[in-house]
Each structure stands twice: as C-alpha cells, then as structure tokens.
Amino acid sequence: MIVKNLKGKEWLIFLLVVFSGIAQVILDVTIPDFMANLTSILQMDTVVIGDVVREGSLMLGFSLLSLIIGILGAYGAAMISGLIAKRIRNQVFDKVMSFSLFEINSFGTASLITRCTNDVTQIQNVLVIVLVIAFKAPLSALLAFMKIAGKNIFWTITMGLIMLFIMVVSMIVLKRVMPLMTKQQYQTDDLTYFDQEHLRGIQVIQAFNAKLFHSKRFQQASDELNDTVKKSTYSFTFLSAFSNSMMNFFNVSVYIVGAFVIQNAAAGEKLGLFSDLVTFSSYALIVMAAFVSLVQAYLSIVKAMASGKRIAEVLNTQCSIVDGDSQQTEKADDFIVSFKDVSFAYPGANGNMLEKVSFDVKKGETVAIIGATGSGKTTLLNLIPRMYDVNEGEILVKGRNVKDYRLEDLRNIIGYIPQKSVLFSGTISSNIDYGDNGRLASAVVDIQRAAGIGMADEFIRKKEGGYSHRVSEGGRNFSGGQKQRLSISRAVCRDPEIYLFDDSFSALDFKTDSALRKKLRQDAKDAAMIIVAQRIGTIKNADKIIVIDDGRIAAHGKHNDLIKSCTIYREIAATQLSEEEMKSYG
C-alpha cells in the first residue's frame, strides 16, 4: 500500500518517519542505562550530588528529545496515512465510475458508499498505528532484549513464560474477532442502505404513516450491528486489560524472583544483583511493552483487514463493459442506429428481457417506442450507450458495432435523458453545461439556447440569480417538470448526434410537450431521436413507432396504421384518446 501510493518527495517524509522511529527507540532503550548508573551512584559510600544531577539531567534530556522526535514522527505518519488514504479513496471512486450498471448493482450503492468512506478510514487509522507502533515495537524489543540477555536465567525464564502466555491468549481472541470484523463492515453496509432508503422515501413514509415500520427495520439493523460491535469490543477490551495486567504481574514476578535470588546471594554480591535487578526490570518492561503494543497494533490491523479485503474486491473487479479499438474508423452506413437480432437478459434472470429485436434509425429520423410497463423499453435504450452489453446480436452506431467504440467516443455522440431526471448540486448553468462530450465548456449563449429549446428559459429567468441560481442536492428545489426540462436542456446543450429520451416528457403538460419537441426537431434536424413514451400524444407524429410486447417487437409503423392494425397499440390509445378520436380511425 505504501509502495504503490507514495510519490516523489513523499518518500522523503516516509524515510524521516522511519528514521525518527529508529532514533526514538535508541533513546528510549538508552534511558534505563542512566537509571542503572544512578542506582550505582546511590549505592556508593559517598554520594556526589553532581554525579546524580548529571545522570538525571541526561536521562531527562533523552526523555524530552524522545518526546519531540515521537511527536514529529507521529505528525509525519499522520501525513503519510492521509495521503495514502486520499489516493485509495480516489482509486476506489474512479473504479466505481468505470463500472457498468451490472457491477454497481452487484455491489449495491450502500456498500460502495461504505467502502469509499468507512473502509478507507479504517485503512488510514491502521497505517498510523503501523508507522508509529508496529514498526518501532520489534526494534525496541530487540535492542532491549540484547541489553538484558544473559543477566539472569530465572528472570529471563519468567519473562519468556509470561510472553508465551500472552501470545497464546491473544491468538485465541484474535481467531474469534476476525470474522466479527468482516461481519461488522457488511452490517454497516446494511445500515447505510436503510439510511439511504429512508431518506429517499421520506415523503412516502410520512404520507403513509409508516415511520414506526421503518423505525423497526432500522432498529433491527442497528441492533445487529451493535451486538457485533459489542462482541468485538469486549474481546479487544479483555485482551488489552489482560496484556496490561500481565505486564504488572511480570513486574511483580521479577521482583519476587529477584528477592529470592538476592536473599540467597553472598553479602558482597547483593548490591550488584540489586543494580542488575533494576536494570533488568527496566529493559524487560520495554520488551513487554513492545510486545503488548504489537498485540494491540495487530488488533487494529485485524479491524482493517476486513476493510482492506472489501476495498480490494472493488479495485480487482473486472468491468464487464470494456473499451473497443479507438483506432477503428467509422463505416459508411445509411442508418445511425441499428439493432440486429438483439437479445438481452439481466444477470441472474431466468429468461431474456429482449428477444430478437431488430430495427433501424436514420439520420434526422424520430423513432418512438411504446409498450406495457416492464416490456423492455428502458432496457433497450440502455443498450445503446452500453450501460449493459447485449447477449446476442449486435447494435450498430453509424455503421460500427458499439463494442468497437471507446466508451468515451460512443457516449460523446449521445444525448441521454433518463426516466428519472437527475440534477447535481451547483448552479442551473453548471447543470445545463454538464459533462464535456469531448468539448470545452459551453458559452453562455449556447447554454441559454439549450434552455430555450428545452422550454426552461422562462422559469430560469424568474429565479433569483437566473442561470446562477443554486441547485440543491438532487434538484430538490425544483419541481418534476422543471427538472425534466433542465435534463432535456442539458442534452441539447452538447448538440449530440443521437438523442435518447426515456419517458422524458411525462412531467410536462401537453402544450409544453408539443412545443418542446417542435423546437427540438427544428434545432436538431440531422440528429436521430429515439423516444420511449407512454403517452400517445408524445409519439403519434414520429416517423416510426415500435410496439414492444414482452421483450419482442409486436408491430411497427406510423400512428394511423398501428391504431388500425395493432391490437396492443389500439388498446393503449383507447385509454388516452376520446371515443370520437378512436371512431375517426375506424
């Protein structure tokens, strides 16, 4: 992680963190030597105050220097971990942006949000711990152990047994905790999902007095997460308290063993053994503290391991939609869009959503698609910009298979207006001039032209600030019809060669709908338009109308012909047209 995400001068900061850690360890390990010297000085028949002050001052100076170096090292570690976390977060975000709808749906929106935020934060936190604690602890333990090696076999055995005991208990606890950490992150996904669902549907929840029902669902998910967190926290708390208790027990044990050793020693050796005892105790505590720090650091690493695996799942996922050959040139063709025996099934579905669909759209032609809910109309549109790829057959755009295009090149020539209008936080102007489509930012006159064609200019000028009026998240400060007109204006602004309207006129009144389509056809005479709609009034003047039934083309033709020859189309028309209008068709 460090190797992959550090660049240039950042390596200098990393090396400074490493060297500061080494320096701090050397200083910490040297301090007990001054304590041993003080003990020896105080055991002399004549105590020289100057010697005591000198050794004490050196010990205090080394301690202060160690503190300063430690603070600088921690600051550098925080900087390094922040940089790495930022880059990982960007990598995850960029990867998610490259996903097709299949990958998005397979992970779930809530899970992807958690992986971009909470999981990356867990990685950031553990990187600080690794750089500040886990790196220094082994070195500290090694140097301290070298200082006391061979001092006393009884004290060494005591230290070894307690460390072994701590290790065994730690492994048992960690084996229990690791599955809980993974479970905890997935339960956080569930909680994020419920949060999103409740916030998106707050109007429906309030309108149907379903607050209690949703509160129970949220409470259940919260309780499940809480139970998991409690179990893991209990384990962590136990292990931390156990390790600290073992350190204290070891300290007492060393002095108890030392008391027996000194008591049984000759009179001339007792002072020397006592000095060794103080020195051994100090260094042994450094070894124990380093060992306990490693255990606690590993606890944090265990927490982050689950997050690391989840981040790796995202980064290692191969997108099902891949770029084609960018060097391939367009082929000459009379049709700008062609479906050739296209069949498509959603991943995991029992059958095809679309079956053997074939039709062509010429330059400057308007083709409308109508059918019952769930018949595959939106799915058909999503296949053109490759939100999904076909299972059988092929889709040609300007005579070239869409799979041969670079995604960027393909989508640059498409103006897509989705079924649900989406606005982004910013200004009205930034929402109309959204994306690049291979071009620079649009001029003000182009933005206003697009808004005029999209029938949005009138209400925009009434807003405070006009085109600079702020758009809140999701366009909550606009009505459904206003959002739909802004979405259409956004597509018009980029002057695409192909327009895809997915029931994009449903929130408009008939007068606005008719006027907008008339302006659009006049402005984009050469563009191909594919319109998915439910309203007969929106599509009856189309050059060709395709009737979709259960994923298949049931009929196609013009309005007057279909209302006479196609039962499905006539039934749809009968629900929208008056009896007099229906009788006029015979």
Side-chain angles (χ1 to χ4, degrees), residues 249-280:
F249 177 74
F250 166 73
N251 202 21
V252 173
S253 300
V254 166
Y255 276 96
I256 291 174
V257 173
F260 282 107
V261 172
I262 293 171
Q263 185 179 6
N264 296 324
E269 298 176 352
K270 288 186 178 182
L271 288 176
L273 284 172
F274 178 73
S275 179
D276 288 344
L277 173 61
V278 173
T279 305
F280 184 91

PDB file of all heavy atoms in Angstrom, residues 249-280:
ATOM      1  N   PHE A 249       1.918  -8.055  36.357  1.00  0.00           N
ATOM      2  CA  PHE A 249       2.224  -9.338  37.006  1.00  0.00           C
ATOM      3  C   PHE A 249       3.694  -9.703  36.790  1.00  0.00           C
ATOM      4  O   PHE A 249       4.370 -10.197  37.700  1.00  0.00           O
ATOM      5  CB  PHE A 249       1.316 -10.423  36.430  1.00  0.00           C
ATOM      6  CG  PHE A 249       1.598 -11.790  36.987  1.00  0.00           C
ATOM      7  CD1 PHE A 249       1.219 -12.134  38.272  1.00  0.00           C
ATOM      8  CD2 PHE A 249       2.257 -12.742  36.216  1.00  0.00           C
ATOM      9  CE1 PHE A 249       1.485 -13.396  38.785  1.00  0.00           C
ATOM     10  CE2 PHE A 249       2.529 -13.996  36.717  1.00  0.00           C
ATOM     11  CZ  PHE A 249       2.132 -14.329  38.012  1.00  0.00           C
ATOM     12  N   PHE A 250       4.169  -9.427  35.566  1.00  0.00           N
ATOM     13  CA  PHE A 250       5.576  -9.706  35.270  1.00  0.00           C
ATOM     14  C   PHE A 250       6.498  -8.846  36.146  1.00  0.00           C
ATOM     15  O   PHE A 250       7.499  -9.334  36.681  1.00  0.00           O
ATOM     16  CB  PHE A 250       5.856  -9.418  33.794  1.00  0.00           C
ATOM     17  CG  PHE A 250       7.315  -9.340  33.461  1.00  0.00           C
ATOM     18  CD1 PHE A 250       8.098 -10.481  33.416  1.00  0.00           C
ATOM     19  CD2 PHE A 250       7.924  -8.114  33.225  1.00  0.00           C
ATOM     20  CE1 PHE A 250       9.447 -10.409  33.131  1.00  0.00           C
ATOM     21  CE2 PHE A 250       9.261  -8.032  32.949  1.00  0.00           C
ATOM     22  CZ  PHE A 250      10.035  -9.187  32.895  1.00  0.00           C
ATOM     23  N   ASN A 251       6.162  -7.579  36.300  1.00  0.00           N
ATOM     24  CA  ASN A 251       6.985  -6.680  37.109  1.00  0.00           C
ATOM     25  C   ASN A 251       7.085  -7.175  38.549  1.00  0.00           C
ATOM     26  O   ASN A 251       8.168  -7.230  39.146  1.00  0.00           O
ATOM     27  CB  ASN A 251       6.389  -5.271  37.071  1.00  0.00           C
ATOM     28  CG  ASN A 251       7.407  -4.204  37.400  1.00  0.00           C
ATOM     29  OD1 ASN A 251       8.607  -4.421  37.293  1.00  0.00           O
ATOM     30  ND2 ASN A 251       6.934  -3.049  37.820  1.00  0.00           N
ATOM     31  N   VAL A 252       5.921  -7.588  39.072  1.00  0.00           N
ATOM     32  CA  VAL A 252       5.902  -8.119  40.446  1.00  0.00           C
ATOM     33  C   VAL A 252       6.687  -9.427  40.510  1.00  0.00           C
ATOM     34  O   VAL A 252       7.464  -9.662  41.471  1.00  0.00           O
ATOM     35  CB  VAL A 252       4.443  -8.333  40.903  1.00  0.00           C
ATOM     36  CG1 VAL A 252       4.414  -9.051  42.251  1.00  0.00           C
ATOM     37  CG2 VAL A 252       3.716  -7.000  41.009  1.00  0.00           C
ATOM     38  N   SER A 253       6.504 -10.272  39.488  1.00  0.00           N
ATOM     39  CA  SER A 253       7.183 -11.576  39.486  1.00  0.00           C
ATOM     40  C   SER A 253       8.699 -11.418  39.464  1.00  0.00           C
ATOM     41  O   SER A 253       9.438 -12.152  40.152  1.00  0.00           O
ATOM     42  CB  SER A 253       6.743 -12.387  38.266  1.00  0.00           C
ATOM     43  OG  SER A 253       5.358 -12.608  38.288  1.00  0.00           O
ATOM     44  N   VAL A 254       9.185 -10.443  38.646  1.00  0.00           N
ATOM     45  CA  VAL A 254      10.627 -10.218  38.577  1.00  0.00           C
ATOM     46  C   VAL A 254      11.193  -9.830  39.948  1.00  0.00           C
ATOM     47  O   VAL A 254      12.237 -10.321  40.379  1.00  0.00           O
ATOM     48  CB  VAL A 254      10.942  -9.132  37.525  1.00  0.00           C
ATOM     49  CG1 VAL A 254      12.382  -8.635  37.661  1.00  0.00           C
ATOM     50  CG2 VAL A 254      10.727  -9.682  36.123  1.00  0.00           C
ATOM     51  N   TYR A 255      10.467  -8.971  40.656  1.00  0.00           N
ATOM     52  CA  TYR A 255      10.956  -8.535  41.970  1.00  0.00           C
ATOM     53  C   TYR A 255      10.861  -9.661  43.002  1.00  0.00           C
ATOM     54  O   TYR A 255      11.707  -9.780  43.891  1.00  0.00           O
ATOM     55  CB  TYR A 255      10.190  -7.298  42.441  1.00  0.00           C
ATOM     56  CG  TYR A 255      10.757  -6.020  41.873  1.00  0.00           C
ATOM     57  CD1 TYR A 255      10.207  -5.443  40.727  1.00  0.00           C
ATOM     58  CD2 TYR A 255      11.860  -5.416  42.457  1.00  0.00           C
ATOM     59  CE1 TYR A 255      10.741  -4.288  40.192  1.00  0.00           C
ATOM     60  CE2 TYR A 255      12.406  -4.249  41.919  1.00  0.00           C
ATOM     61  CZ  TYR A 255      11.848  -3.688  40.783  1.00  0.00           C
ATOM     62  OH  TYR A 255      12.381  -2.542  40.257  1.00  0.00           O
ATOM     63  N   ILE A 256       9.822 -10.489  42.879  1.00  0.00           N
ATOM     64  CA  ILE A 256       9.705 -11.628  43.812  1.00  0.00           C
ATOM     65  C   ILE A 256      10.856 -12.612  43.584  1.00  0.00           C
ATOM     66  O   ILE A 256      11.536 -13.053  44.522  1.00  0.00           O
ATOM     67  CB  ILE A 256       8.344 -12.334  43.641  1.00  0.00           C
ATOM     68  CG1 ILE A 256       7.212 -11.419  44.147  1.00  0.00           C
ATOM     69  CG2 ILE A 256       8.332 -13.656  44.405  1.00  0.00           C
ATOM     70  CD1 ILE A 256       5.829 -11.960  43.885  1.00  0.00           C
ATOM     71  N   VAL A 257      11.071 -12.939  42.271  1.00  0.00           N
ATOM     72  CA  VAL A 257      12.188 -13.836  41.948  1.00  0.00           C
ATOM     73  C   VAL A 257      13.512 -13.185  42.358  1.00  0.00           C
ATOM     74  O   VAL A 257      14.414 -13.828  42.917  1.00  0.00           O
ATOM     75  CB  VAL A 257      12.186 -14.171  40.436  1.00  0.00           C
ATOM     76  CG1 VAL A 257      13.442 -14.954  40.069  1.00  0.00           C
ATOM     77  CG2 VAL A 257      10.944 -14.974  40.067  1.00  0.00           C
ATOM     78  N   GLY A 258      13.610 -11.866  42.094  1.00  0.00           N
ATOM     79  CA  GLY A 258      14.822 -11.143  42.449  1.00  0.00           C
ATOM     80  C   GLY A 258      15.081 -11.151  43.945  1.00  0.00           C
ATOM     81  O   GLY A 258      16.242 -11.238  44.388  1.00  0.00           O
ATOM     82  N   ALA A 259      14.011 -11.072  44.725  1.00  0.00           N
ATOM     83  CA  ALA A 259      14.163 -11.081  46.191  1.00  0.00           C
ATOM     84  C   ALA A 259      14.785 -12.391  46.658  1.00  0.00           C
ATOM     85  O   ALA A 259      15.683 -12.410  47.522  1.00  0.00           O
ATOM     86  CB  ALA A 259      12.804 -10.857  46.847  1.00  0.00           C
ATOM     87  N   PHE A 260      14.300 -13.509  46.087  1.00  0.00           N
ATOM     88  CA  PHE A 260      14.870 -14.815  46.464  1.00  0.00           C
ATOM     89  C   PHE A 260      16.322 -14.926  46.008  1.00  0.00           C
ATOM     90  O   PHE A 260      17.186 -15.439  46.750  1.00  0.00           O
ATOM     91  CB  PHE A 260      14.041 -15.955  45.841  1.00  0.00           C
ATOM     92  CG  PHE A 260      12.758 -16.218  46.576  1.00  0.00           C
ATOM     93  CD1 PHE A 260      11.536 -15.847  46.032  1.00  0.00           C
ATOM     94  CD2 PHE A 260      12.765 -16.844  47.823  1.00  0.00           C
ATOM     95  CE1 PHE A 260      10.349 -16.092  46.696  1.00  0.00           C
ATOM     96  CE2 PHE A 260      11.583 -17.095  48.495  1.00  0.00           C
ATOM     97  CZ  PHE A 260      10.366 -16.715  47.944  1.00  0.00           C
ATOM     98  N   VAL A 261      16.602 -14.439  44.792  1.00  0.00           N
ATOM     99  CA  VAL A 261      17.969 -14.521  44.268  1.00  0.00           C
ATOM    100  C   VAL A 261      18.922 -13.700  45.131  1.00  0.00           C
ATOM    101  O   VAL A 261      20.016 -14.156  45.524  1.00  0.00           O
ATOM    102  CB  VAL A 261      18.008 -14.038  42.795  1.00  0.00           C
ATOM    103  CG1 VAL A 261      19.471 -13.926  42.320  1.00  0.00           C
ATOM    104  CG2 VAL A 261      17.250 -14.994  41.888  1.00  0.00           C
ATOM    105  N   ILE A 262      18.518 -12.464  45.484  1.00  0.00           N
ATOM    106  CA  ILE A 262      19.376 -11.584  46.272  1.00  0.00           C
ATOM    107  C   ILE A 262      19.538 -12.112  47.690  1.00  0.00           C
ATOM    108  O   ILE A 262      20.627 -12.076  48.283  1.00  0.00           O
ATOM    109  CB  ILE A 262      18.794 -10.153  46.289  1.00  0.00           C
ATOM    110  CG1 ILE A 262      18.872  -9.539  44.878  1.00  0.00           C
ATOM    111  CG2 ILE A 262      19.538  -9.259  47.283  1.00  0.00           C
ATOM    112  CD1 ILE A 262      18.135  -8.223  44.738  1.00  0.00           C
ATOM    113  N   GLN A 263      18.450 -12.672  48.231  1.00  0.00           N
ATOM    114  CA  GLN A 263      18.500 -13.196  49.608  1.00  0.00           C
ATOM    115  C   GLN A 263      19.478 -14.359  49.720  1.00  0.00           C
ATOM    116  O   GLN A 263      20.182 -14.515  50.735  1.00  0.00           O
ATOM    117  CB  GLN A 263      17.095 -13.633  50.044  1.00  0.00           C
ATOM    118  CG  GLN A 263      17.026 -14.086  51.502  1.00  0.00           C
ATOM    119  CD  GLN A 263      15.620 -14.479  51.907  1.00  0.00           C
ATOM    120  OE1 GLN A 263      14.717 -14.522  51.079  1.00  0.00           O
ATOM    121  NE2 GLN A 263      15.423 -14.755  53.183  1.00  0.00           N
ATOM    122  N   ASN A 264      19.541 -15.166  48.702  1.00  0.00           N
ATOM    123  CA  ASN A 264      20.399 -16.348  48.742  1.00  0.00           C
ATOM    124  C   ASN A 264      21.825 -16.063  48.252  1.00  0.00           C
ATOM    125  O   ASN A 264      22.663 -16.959  48.234  1.00  0.00           O
ATOM    126  CB  ASN A 264      19.800 -17.478  47.893  1.00  0.00           C
ATOM    127  CG  ASN A 264      18.465 -17.960  48.455  1.00  0.00           C
ATOM    128  OD1 ASN A 264      18.285 -17.995  49.686  1.00  0.00           O
ATOM    129  ND2 ASN A 264      17.531 -18.319  47.583  1.00  0.00           N
ATOM    130  N   ALA A 265      22.075 -14.824  47.829  1.00  0.00           N
ATOM    131  CA  ALA A 265      23.410 -14.466  47.318  1.00  0.00           C
ATOM    132  C   ALA A 265      24.336 -14.094  48.474  1.00  0.00           C
ATOM    133  O   ALA A 265      23.901 -13.797  49.597  1.00  0.00           O
ATOM    134  CB  ALA A 265      23.295 -13.306  46.350  1.00  0.00           C
ATOM    135  N   ALA A 266      25.631 -14.112  48.181  1.00  0.00           N
ATOM    136  CA  ALA A 266      26.619 -13.700  49.184  1.00  0.00           C
ATOM    137  C   ALA A 266      26.476 -12.211  49.457  1.00  0.00           C
ATOM    138  O   ALA A 266      25.992 -11.448  48.626  1.00  0.00           O
ATOM    139  CB  ALA A 266      28.030 -14.013  48.684  1.00  0.00           C
ATOM    140  N   ALA A 267      26.931 -11.782  50.605  1.00  0.00           N
ATOM    141  CA  ALA A 267      26.765 -10.385  51.029  1.00  0.00           C
ATOM    142  C   ALA A 267      27.404  -9.423  50.052  1.00  0.00           C
ATOM    143  O   ALA A 267      26.849  -8.351  49.730  1.00  0.00           O
ATOM    144  CB  ALA A 267      27.360 -10.191  52.429  1.00  0.00           C
ATOM    145  N   GLY A 268      28.539  -9.766  49.492  1.00  0.00           N
ATOM    146  CA  GLY A 268      29.238  -8.865  48.573  1.00  0.00           C
ATOM    147  C   GLY A 268      28.576  -8.757  47.214  1.00  0.00           C
ATOM    148  O   GLY A 268      28.855  -7.833  46.444  1.00  0.00           O
ATOM    149  N   GLU A 269      27.694  -9.728  46.893  1.00  0.00           N
ATOM    150  CA  GLU A 269      27.059  -9.738  45.577  1.00  0.00           C
ATOM    151  C   GLU A 269      25.676  -9.072  45.578  1.00  0.00           C
ATOM    152  O   GLU A 269      25.102  -8.817  44.501  1.00  0.00           O
ATOM    153  CB  GLU A 269      26.913 -11.178  45.068  1.00  0.00           C
ATOM    154  CG  GLU A 269      28.245 -11.886  44.879  1.00  0.00           C
ATOM    155  CD  GLU A 269      28.049 -13.344  44.471  1.00  0.00           C
ATOM    156  OE1 GLU A 269      26.872 -13.806  44.492  1.00  0.00           O
ATOM    157  OE2 GLU A 269      29.030 -14.021  44.138  1.00  0.00           O
ATOM    158  N   LYS A 270      25.147  -8.828  46.773  1.00  0.00           N
ATOM    159  CA  LYS A 270      23.758  -8.369  46.847  1.00  0.00           C
ATOM    160  C   LYS A 270      23.549  -7.007  46.199  1.00  0.00           C
ATOM    161  O   LYS A 270      22.559  -6.791  45.495  1.00  0.00           O
ATOM    162  CB  LYS A 270      23.304  -8.331  48.306  1.00  0.00           C
ATOM    163  CG  LYS A 270      23.105  -9.722  48.900  1.00  0.00           C
ATOM    164  CD  LYS A 270      22.519  -9.675  50.290  1.00  0.00           C
ATOM    165  CE  LYS A 270      22.291 -11.114  50.817  1.00  0.00           C
ATOM    166  NZ  LYS A 270      21.668 -11.121  52.149  1.00  0.00           N
ATOM    167  N   LEU A 271      24.468  -6.050  46.441  1.00  0.00           N
ATOM    168  CA  LEU A 271      24.306  -4.732  45.833  1.00  0.00           C
ATOM    169  C   LEU A 271      24.368  -4.807  44.310  1.00  0.00           C
ATOM    170  O   LEU A 271      23.605  -4.142  43.598  1.00  0.00           O
ATOM    171  CB  LEU A 271      25.383  -3.780  46.361  1.00  0.00           C
ATOM    172  CG  LEU A 271      25.216  -3.328  47.816  1.00  0.00           C
ATOM    173  CD1 LEU A 271      26.394  -2.465  48.252  1.00  0.00           C
ATOM    174  CD2 LEU A 271      23.917  -2.551  47.999  1.00  0.00           C
ATOM    175  N   GLY A 272      25.286  -5.614  43.798  1.00  0.00           N
ATOM    176  CA  GLY A 272      25.393  -5.771  42.343  1.00  0.00           C
ATOM    177  C   GLY A 272      24.153  -6.415  41.761  1.00  0.00           C
ATOM    178  O   GLY A 272      23.671  -6.014  40.693  1.00  0.00           O
ATOM    179  N   LEU A 273      23.613  -7.432  42.459  1.00  0.00           N
ATOM    180  CA  LEU A 273      22.391  -8.094  41.977  1.00  0.00           C
ATOM    181  C   LEU A 273      21.196  -7.144  42.004  1.00  0.00           C
ATOM    182  O   LEU A 273      20.339  -7.173  41.102  1.00  0.00           O
ATOM    183  CB  LEU A 273      22.090  -9.319  42.835  1.00  0.00           C
ATOM    184  CG  LEU A 273      22.960 -10.549  42.577  1.00  0.00           C
ATOM    185  CD1 LEU A 273      22.698 -11.621  43.619  1.00  0.00           C
ATOM    186  CD2 LEU A 273      22.679 -11.105  41.171  1.00  0.00           C
ATOM    187  N   PHE A 274      21.164  -6.286  43.031  1.00  0.00           N
ATOM    188  CA  PHE A 274      20.057  -5.328  43.098  1.00  0.00           C
ATOM    189  C   PHE A 274      20.125  -4.347  41.927  1.00  0.00           C
ATOM    190  O   PHE A 274      19.107  -4.010  41.315  1.00  0.00           O
ATOM    191  CB  PHE A 274      20.106  -4.557  44.431  1.00  0.00           C
ATOM    192  CG  PHE A 274      19.026  -3.515  44.549  1.00  0.00           C
ATOM    193  CD1 PHE A 274      17.703  -3.881  44.761  1.00  0.00           C
ATOM    194  CD2 PHE A 274      19.330  -2.164  44.404  1.00  0.00           C
ATOM    195  CE1 PHE A 274      16.709  -2.921  44.855  1.00  0.00           C
ATOM    196  CE2 PHE A 274      18.338  -1.206  44.492  1.00  0.00           C
ATOM    197  CZ  PHE A 274      17.024  -1.580  44.731  1.00  0.00           C
ATOM    198  N   SER A 275      21.345  -3.891  41.615  1.00  0.00           N
ATOM    199  CA  SER A 275      21.518  -2.995  40.459  1.00  0.00           C
ATOM    200  C   SER A 275      21.109  -3.701  39.166  1.00  0.00           C
ATOM    201  O   SER A 275      20.446  -3.117  38.315  1.00  0.00           O
ATOM    202  CB  SER A 275      22.977  -2.545  40.372  1.00  0.00           C
ATOM    203  OG  SER A 275      23.155  -1.698  39.252  1.00  0.00           O
ATOM    204  N   ASP A 276      21.499  -4.977  39.050  1.00  0.00           N
ATOM    205  CA  ASP A 276      21.096  -5.753  37.859  1.00  0.00           C
ATOM    206  C   ASP A 276      19.577  -5.903  37.795  1.00  0.00           C
ATOM    207  O   ASP A 276      18.982  -5.882  36.714  1.00  0.00           O
ATOM    208  CB  ASP A 276      21.750  -7.129  37.895  1.00  0.00           C
ATOM    209  CG  ASP A 276      23.244  -7.070  37.608  1.00  0.00           C
ATOM    210  OD1 ASP A 276      23.698  -6.017  37.097  1.00  0.00           O
ATOM    211  OD2 ASP A 276      23.949  -8.055  37.900  1.00  0.00           O
ATOM    212  N   LEU A 277      18.975  -6.084  38.989  1.00  0.00           N
ATOM    213  CA  LEU A 277      17.522  -6.253  39.048  1.00  0.00           C
ATOM    214  C   LEU A 277      16.802  -5.011  38.519  1.00  0.00           C
ATOM    215  O   LEU A 277      15.856  -5.117  37.720  1.00  0.00           O
ATOM    216  CB  LEU A 277      17.074  -6.535  40.487  1.00  0.00           C
ATOM    217  CG  LEU A 277      15.548  -6.565  40.733  1.00  0.00           C
ATOM    218  CD1 LEU A 277      14.899  -7.670  39.912  1.00  0.00           C
ATOM    219  CD2 LEU A 277      15.248  -6.747  42.218  1.00  0.00           C
ATOM    220  N   VAL A 278      17.263  -3.824  38.948  1.00  0.00           N
ATOM    221  CA  VAL A 278      16.652  -2.575  38.484  1.00  0.00           C
ATOM    222  C   VAL A 278      16.817  -2.430  36.973  1.00  0.00           C
ATOM    223  O   VAL A 278      15.878  -2.080  36.251  1.00  0.00           O
ATOM    224  CB  VAL A 278      17.285  -1.367  39.219  1.00  0.00           C
ATOM    225  CG1 VAL A 278      16.778  -0.054  38.608  1.00  0.00           C
ATOM    226  CG2 VAL A 278      16.962  -1.417  40.705  1.00  0.00           C
ATOM    227  N   THR A 279      18.029  -2.718  36.496  1.00  0.00           N
ATOM    228  CA  THR A 279      18.291  -2.605  35.055  1.00  0.00           C
ATOM    229  C   THR A 279      17.453  -3.613  34.274  1.00  0.00           C
ATOM    230  O   THR A 279      16.821  -3.282  33.254  1.00  0.00           O
ATOM    231  CB  THR A 279      19.778  -2.843  34.756  1.00  0.00           C
ATOM    232  OG1 THR A 279      20.562  -1.936  35.537  1.00  0.00           O
ATOM    233  CG2 THR A 279      20.081  -2.637  33.281  1.00  0.00           C
ATOM    234  N   PHE A 280      17.458  -4.868  34.731  1.00  0.00           N
ATOM    235  CA  PHE A 280      16.689  -5.916  34.049  1.00  0.00           C
ATOM    236  C   PHE A 280      15.204  -5.564  34.020  1.00  0.00           C
ATOM    237  O   PHE A 280      14.534  -5.717  32.996  1.00  0.00           O
ATOM    238  CB  PHE A 280      16.896  -7.263  34.757  1.00  0.00           C
ATOM    239  CG  PHE A 280      16.205  -8.405  34.064  1.00  0.00           C
ATOM    240  CD1 PHE A 280      16.866  -9.151  33.104  1.00  0.00           C
ATOM    241  CD2 PHE A 280      14.874  -8.735  34.359  1.00  0.00           C
ATOM    242  CE1 PHE A 280      16.231 -10.203  32.459  1.00  0.00           C
ATOM    243  CE2 PHE A 280      14.238  -9.778  33.702  1.00  0.00           C
ATOM    244  CZ  PHE A 280      14.921 -10.518  32.759  1.00  0.00           C
TER     245      PHE A 280
END
